[in-house]
Amino acid sequence: MNLILLGAPGAGKGTQAEVICQAKGIPAISTGNMLREAVKNGTPSGLAAKGYMDKGELVPDDVVIGILKDRIAEEDCKNGFILDGFPRTVPQAEALDRMGVTIDKVIEIYVPDETIAKRLGGRRVCEGCGASYHLDYKPTRVEGVCDSCGSRTVIRKDDEPATVLDRLKVYHEKTAPLKDFYFAQGKLVTVIGQEEVQKTSELTLAALDD
């Protein structure tokens, strides 16, 4: 089963990708994480992407597609995968079609903008292993210290308030049209994000089996 998760930044796509990954036994592929890893490692793709990511702008299609092509060719993707953060524009979706990648279902996690802003403002990420936390919803046992590896947790530049507003604006302008694109293909299912993550997960898994 090849899936795409849609939703605004902070809607909980990464969390639901992990839930689906465990339930279905297919890898969750976050292009955001792949790009951040490329930036951290100073790869050519990472250096190309860094300037855009720091400003909360979309990374150009050719950079993202190049990284994604390598990833889905790996052995663990042979029985399916979950794309989290790609495609972000209709041209990217069309490029995915041209790559011959069949998408079985597209799950949109819908959360209002004001809720998104609150969520992202409290998000913290581990500098060492990349684990994600939240001051309100998923705090670390020791403030500012990762539970998994003991490294420092920080607010990402693209989670700062001004950048969040820019990211939401970009999402509505560039990514939201994907809903019409996949609705026309009969693949779109919308899940309303709940206050409790577990309830969102139940709705998401139910949507897969519809």
Side-chain angles (χ1 to χ4, degrees):
M1 179 179 280
N2 298 341
L3 304 171
I4 290 172
L5 285 180
L6 286 182
K13 299 185 298 298
T15 298
Q16 297 311 317
E18 291 176 12
V19 169
I20 298 169
C21 178
Q22 292 172 4
K24 300 295 184 182
I26 55 178
I29 300 174
S30 166
T31 50
N33 286 345
M34 284 196 300
L35 286 168
R36 281 189 287 275
E37 187 68 19
V39 169
K40 183 179 175 182
N41 293 335
T43 66
S45 295
L47 294 174
K50 187 177 188 304
Y52 296 94
M53 293 169 66
D54 284 348
K55 291 183 283 189
E57 296 177 358
L58 293 179
V59 177
D61 293 357
D62 59 337
V63 177
V64 181
I65 291 170
I67 294 173
L68 184 65
K69 276 184 176 179
D70 292 340
R71 181 65 185 89
I72 65 176
E74 293 180 18
E75 181 68 17
D76 64 339
C77 291
K78 67 179 183 180
N79 294 322
F81 51 80
I82 309 151
L83 294 183
D84 166 16
F86 186 93
R88 289 193 178 188
T89 63
V90 170
Q92 285 184 349
E94 293 168 342
L96 203 59
D97 288 345
R98 289 195 298 272
M99 285 169 62
V101 179
T102 301
I103 299 300
D104 299 302
K105 192 165 286 191
V106 179
I107 307 290
E108 178 205 6
I109 310 295
Y110 173 76
V111 178
D113 283 3
E114 56 270 23
T115 305
I116 295 285
K118 180 182 177 185
R119 283 185 181 180
L120 292 185
R123 189 158 69 175
R124 298 293 182 270
V125 178
C126 174
E127 287 184 317
C129 68
S132 186
Y133 300 94
H134 194 281
L135 298 181
D136 297 323
Y137 308 121
K138 188 185 175 184
T140 53
R141 289 191 293 269
V142 177
E143 186 176 348
V145 178
C146 176
D147 292 350
S148 299
C149 73
S151 297
R152 189 169 64 123
T153 59
V154 296
I155 184 168
R156 289 199 330 230
K157 184 174 178 57
D158 54 2
D159 285 341
E160 293 174 356
T163 309
V164 168
L165 294 178
D166 288 339
R167 292 173 71 196
L168 286 171
K169 183 173 182 286
V170 169
Y171 172 77
H172 290 301
E173 289 177 356
K174 302 292 179 87
T175 305
L178 282 169
K179 292 189 283 186
D180 291 336
F181 181 86
Y182 285 115
F183 180 80
Q185 295 184 10
K187 296 177 180 178
L188 181 72
V189 180
T190 298
V191 170
I192 305 299
Q194 306 294 305
E195 188 67 28
E196 293 182 29
V197 174
Q198 177 62 32
K199 290 184 178 178
T200 304
S201 298
E202 290 169 3
L203 292 172
T204 300
L205 292 176
L208 293 181
D209 297 327
D210 284 348

